[in-house]
Amino acid sequence: MTVLDTKAARNAILGKVTRALDAEGSDQKARQKVIVARIAKHERGVVPERGQAAAADRRKLFMSQIIALSGTAEHVGSAKDVPRAIATYLKQYNLPAKIRAGSDKRLKKFDWTKTPTLEVTHGPARDDDKAGLTYAVSGVAETGTLVLTSSGDNPTSLNFMPDHSIVVVDGKTVDACYEDGFDRVRKTQKKNPLPRSINFITGPSRTADIEQVIYYGAHGPKHLHVIVVG
Amino acid sequence: MSEKKQKIKPSVGLFVTCLVDLFRPSVGFATVSLLEEAGFEVSVPEAQTCCGQPAYNSGDMPDTRAIAAQVITVFEGFDYVVAPSGSCAAMIKHHYPSLFADDPAMAERADELAGRTYELVSFLTDVAKVKDIDAQVDAHVTYHDSCSGLRELGIKAQPRQLLASVKGVELTEMENSEICCGFGGTFCVKFGDISNEMVSKKITDIVASKADVVVAGDLGCLMNIAGKLKRENIDIQVRHVAEVLAGQTDSPAIGDSKS
Amino acid sequence: MEPTTQAFKSNVKTALGDKQLRRALGTIEQGFVAKRAQTTQALPEFEQLRNQARDVKDHTLANLDVYLEAYEAKVEGLGGHVHWAQDAAQACDIVLDICKQHDAKLVTKSKSMITEEIALNSALDAAGIEPVETDLGEYIIQLRKEPPSHIIAPAIHLTHEQIEADFRDKHTNLDEDRVLDDGAELVAEARTQLRQKFLKADVGITGANFLIAETGANVIVTNEGNADLTHTLPRVHIVVASIEKLVPTFEDAMGILRILARSATGQDISAYTSFTSGPKRPGDVDGPDAYHVVLLDNGRSDMLGTEFQEMLRCIRCGACMNHCPVYNTIGGHAYGWIYPGPMGAVLTPSLIGVDKAGLLPNASTFCGRCEAVCPMHIPLPKMMRHWRSREFERHLSPSTTRYGLKLWRHLACRPKVYQFVTGLVIRTLKALSAGKGVLHKLPFASAWTRHRDFPAPEGKTFQAQWRDRQTKGDA
C-alpha cells in the first residue's frame, strides 16, 4: 500500500532542524551515539517521595486515592475470593450476573465455583457489555493509578467501553511510582515489542466540560472498581 | 562642647522616577526622609529623567539603550541607587544588563549599576536592615502588590513588615492583591477597555477589604487605581507606601483636592 | 480556521460586551487557578520537576534531528508508518490519502490542537469524510461550528442552557420531550450519541501530548477516555503531531506528565494517560490494523535557533491563560485563532507571521503571572517583548508610537530641555484640573479618561522643588 511519498519533506525538515541547531558540520554519528546511549540508560529523574512507603502502607495509600477520585476499592485475601467480590459488586449495582474478560491465565486462579451463576465471557468489549474485567500489571501508590497493558489476555477495550470497569491487581505489585510499573512492563517484554497500549488509569472517566462541574462516564466507565488481591 | 567625629554615611543616589517627579513629588520627599532617617546621605542627580521602560516595552531598543546609557553615567559613584518604584528598579536591575549584550564595556557598567540599585521598601528592610518604622498614622490600609516589584524583585513581605510596625496602621489583605491592576504603562491607553475591566476588578477587591486607604509601591498603579475610584465616586484614599511610612499623610491623597 | 487576529480590537469589543462569557471566565480564578495552587503546593518536588522538565525539553530540542530519526526508526520497526509534512496543506493531504486508501467514511477524533491548526476537519469535510470530535467540549463546539476558546476546556465559554439547546437542535433522533435539566443528563446523552460513532468509525485520529523516541509511543492524556476509544476501535489509527513533541524516554515523559495535569486542571494526573504504539500486536483482539504518524513542521524548525526556541518547550497545559488577567477579561475567541492567552500571543506570530498577529503580544501588561506558573519556565513576557521589537524594527508599530518614543528619548537625553518642557506640561495640567484633584478629560489620552479620572499633578516637579530647597539651604 503506497501513501504519498514524504521523503522529500522528511529530508527538508531534518535538514532545516540540523541547520537551525548549528549542527551541520558536526559528526552525526557521534551525536547519534550519545543519544542512543542516553535512551538506552533511560535514567529516572526526580521521583516524588509520596508513594515510597512500606508495602502495606502503599496498598492503603493506593486504595484511599482511588476512593478519593470517585472509584471504589476493596481488598481480598487471595485470588480465590475474587469471583465472589465481583458477584457482590454486580449485585450491588443491580447488574446482571455477567462479566466480560480477556484470556489472562491468572483468571484460572480464581475460584469460580463459588459463583456458579456468574457468567464469564471472553473477548474484546461489546457495546452491550455492562461490566468488564481486566488484570492490571501493577498499581501505583503515588496517585492511585493502575498500569494496564493491551493484549489478548486483557483487551484494552474492556477498560473503556463498559459502564463498569473492574480491575484486579495483586497487592504485591502495588508499587511506589509509575517508573516501577513501567519497568515491570519492560521486563516482561524483554524479547518482544512493548504492548500496543500501556494505560495508566486513575479513577473513572470524567468530564468538566459542562460549566466546570464534574460528571462521570463521559465516554469511558462511569464506575471503576479495583480489587486488590493479597 | 565636645567634638563628635562625623561617621561617613553611605551615599544614595535617588532615582526619583518620571511619574513621581512629574505627578507626585511628595513621594520623592517621603522617600528622601525615609532614607535619611535610615542613615544615608541622599543626593538627587539633576540629569536624571526616565529609566527607559516606555521605549523598552514598546520594543524600541535603540532609544532604550540611549536612555539607559545616560542613567548609567548619571548614577555612577553612589553606593546605592534607590527608586520608589518596583518597575523602575527592576528595569535597571534586571533589564539594563541584557540591553548591552553586544557592547561588553557598557554591559559591565550596566551590571555594576544593577548590583547597587534597589526599590525603596526592600532596600530599607533587606539592605538597611530597618525592622520598624517610628511613625504614627491612623489608617485602615490595604496593600496592592505591583507586578514588577512582586515578580521581578520578590517584594511581598517587606512592605507588610514595615506597615505593620507603624503605630496606628491596621492592615487588611484584599482578595487577589497579586492580580494586575491594568496599568501596564502604555497598555492602559492602547487597550483602554481591557485595562478598565482589570482596574474595575481591582477596585471591587479594594472596596471589599473595607480599608480606608490603599497603598502600593508604584505610582503608575496608584494613579490608575485612584483614577477609577474617583470616577466611581468611591471614597477610599490612595497613597504611595512611602507616604504612609514617612508619616506624611496630611497632604491630599492621589486624585484628592486640597479641601 | 482563518485567523482574525488582525481584528483583535473589534474581537475584544465583542468579548467585553458578552455578559455570558464574562460570567464563565469568572469561574477560572476559583477553579483552575485555585486547584493548581492547591495541588502544586501539595507536591514538595514540584519546583524540582519544573526545572527538570525544562532541562529535558532543552536537551531534546538541541538534538531534535537525532531524536526524530530515532523515533521514526522505532515506529517503523513496530509496523507503523511515519510521514513528514512541512506545512498544513501537506499534512491534510497525507491524512486524506490514508483515509482514501482505507475507504474511510467516518473518522473519530480526540481533542487535538494541531488538527485545529491545520484545519483538518474542513479538509475531511471537503473530501466527503465525516469527522466527529469525541472530546465532549470539542464535540459541543463542533456542533456550534465554533473554534475552541481554551486549549484544555474548549467549551468553557458556554452555559448548560446553550449546550442543551445545541443537543436538542442536533440530536434529532431522540425524543423531543426528554428532560435535560441536569448536566449528568447532557453527558449521558453525549455518551450514547458518540458511542455509536466510536463503533462505526473507520479511522481514529489523535494528536499526541508527547512522542517517545525510546519506545516509538505517542502519549495521550484525557479525563474522558475518548482518545482510547478513538485509537482502539477503528481499523486505522492516525497520529498527527508537531515535531517538538519528542521526548527521549518514558522516564522523561513521566517527569513532565507529573507537572502537566497539575498545571492544567489541578489534578495529580488525568484519568487516562495512555502510551500507544500501534499497530496491534500478534495476539491482540482489539486495536488498529494500521498505524500512521504524521510529523508536522509548520513553522517549528523556523523557531529553532532563534530567540523564540524556548516556546517549543510548551506542553499546552493552559496554565498561562488561566492566570492571565487579559485572557480572563476577553476570553479565547478574541485572540482570533487556535492558541489564546500568553502562549498564543507568543506562538501565533511565529506560525502565521507577526504582520498578521502583531496585536496579540501587545495586549499584555507584562505582569508576569504567566511565566510564574508556566511548568516549563518559558519566559513568555520576554518573548512578547521580542515580538514588539521585531515589529518596531519592521515599522509595523503605529507611527504615532514611533514618533512619540523618539520625542521622549530626545527629551529624556536632554535633562534641561526635559525639565523645561515637562514643567510646562505639568503646570498646564495642574491649571486645567482647576483644583479638583483630577482631570475628567485628557484629549491626548481619551482611552484613559473614557473610564477613569486622571489624577492631577501636584504642580511643581520634584526636581524643581529639590533645586529650590537646595538653593534655599533647606534640608
Side-chain angles (χ1 to χ4, degrees), chain A residues 2 10 18 31 38 46 49 142 157 163 179 186 194 196 198 200 202 205-206 209 211 219-220, chain C residues 45 52 65 72 101 134 137 160 191 195 214 223-224 251-252 258 271 273-275 277 281 286 302:
Chain A
T2 48
R10 176 188 188 278
T18 308
R31 292 176 73 219
R38 190 191 182 290
V46 172
E49 281 219 10
E142 190 182 330
S157 53
D163 280 355
E179 287 86 347
R186 278 189 180 114
L194 290 174
R196 180 195 73 93
I198 301 166
F200 284 16
T202 314
S205 157
R206 69 196 62 215
D209 281 327
E211 292 189 344
H219 292 299
Chain C
E45 297 86 357
Q52 181 182 272
D65 48 351
E72 176 189 47
Q101 300 271 343
T134 63
H160 178 113
R191 181 197 174 91
R195 179 57 66 91
E214 175 204 349
N223 277 306
E224 297 176 18
E251 280 74 7
D252 293 317
R258 282 191 172 97
T273 300
S274 307
F275 304 82
S277 50
R281 308 286 191 259
D286 52 22
D302 287 324

Side-chain angles (χ1 to χ4, degrees), chain C residues 112-402:
Chain C
S112 159
M113 299 314 296
I114 195 75
T115 62
E116 299 268 358
E117 190 183 311
I118 64 174
L120 182 60
N121 286 1
S122 320
L124 288 165
D125 276 329
I129 302 169
E130 182 193 351
V132 177
E133 293 291 343
T134 63
D135 171 89
L136 181 57
E138 285 283 337
Y139 175 68
I140 292 166
I141 61 171
Q142 184 181 37
L143 292 180
R144 295 169 64 86
K145 295 194 180 9
E146 271 180 24
S149 67
H150 187 288
I151 61 176
I152 299 297
I156 196 170
H157 57 294
L158 299 169
T159 58
H160 178 113
E161 284 70 36
Q162 286 171 298
I163 297 167
E164 182 184 343
D166 295 321
F167 278 21
R168 289 192 187 283
D169 188 38
K170 294 291 192 303
H171 298 162
T172 50
N173 56 321
L174 298 174
D175 181 6
E176 267 178 31
D177 294 326
R178 69 194 188 282
V179 176
L180 288 172
D181 294 338
D182 197 308
E185 284 158 342
L186 287 175
V187 173
E189 179 162 314
R191 181 197 174 91
T192 326
Q193 295 289 104
L194 285 166
R195 179 57 66 91
Q196 294 314 305
K197 303 288 184 183
F198 280 125
L199 293 168
K200 289 204 183 84
D202 305 302
V203 172
I205 299 179
T206 65
N209 290 86
F210 304 101
L211 301 173
I212 302 180
E214 175 204 349
T215 61
N218 66 79
V219 185
I220 311 184
V221 159
T222 71
N223 277 306
E224 297 176 18
N226 60 304
D228 297 275
L229 291 166
T230 297
H231 65 64
T232 299
L233 299 176
R235 300 171 271 132
V236 183
H237 177 199
I238 303 175
V239 176
V240 182
S242 44
I243 56 177
E244 84 279 13
K245 294 295 177 114
L246 257 296
V247 293
T249 66
F250 164 81
E251 280 74 7
D252 293 317
M254 216 56 233
I256 306 176
L257 283 161
R258 282 191 172 97
I259 59 177
L260 172 56
R262 287 183 165 102
S263 302
T265 58
Q267 296 172 277
D268 287 341
I269 188 169
S270 60
Y272 302 101
T273 300
S274 307
F275 304 82
T276 71
S277 50
K280 67 196 219 200
R281 308 286 191 259
D284 281 1
V285 299
D286 52 22
D289 299 313
Y291 179 68
H292 294 266
V293 178
V294 181
L295 288 175
L296 176 62
D297 184 348
N298 212 29
R300 274 75 177 166
S301 61
D302 287 324
M303 291 167 68
L304 283 170
T306 72
E307 54 203 342
F308 298 103
Q309 176 166 323
E310 293 177 282
M311 192 58 214
L312 293 171
R313 294 203 292 261
C314 178
I315 56 176
R316 308 290 194 262
C317 70
C320 59
M321 60 196 73
N322 290 338
H323 290 76
C324 175
V326 174
Y327 176 90
N328 276 313
T329 301
I330 65 179
H333 287 163
Y335 290 81
W337 201 46
I338 315 298
Y339 304 108
M343 58 80 61
V346 175
L347 186 61
T348 308
S350 276
L351 300 183
I352 70 172
V354 71
D355 49 334
K356 289 207 185 70
L359 283 167
L360 269 50
N362 276 285
S364 167
T365 60
F366 290 164
C367 78
R369 210 177 180 212
C370 51
E371 182 176 357
V373 299
C374 173
M376 308 303 288
H377 282 305
I378 300 173
L380 292 156
K382 182 170 85 165
M383 288 191 291
M384 286 186 233
R385 194 182 291 111
H386 284 324
W387 281 124
R388 296 183 188 187
S389 201
R390 297 271 181 106
E391 283 177 285
F392 194 84
E393 285 162 14
R394 292 173 53 180
H395 291 233
L396 292 172
S397 24
S399 49
T400 41
T401 309
R402 300 179 62 81

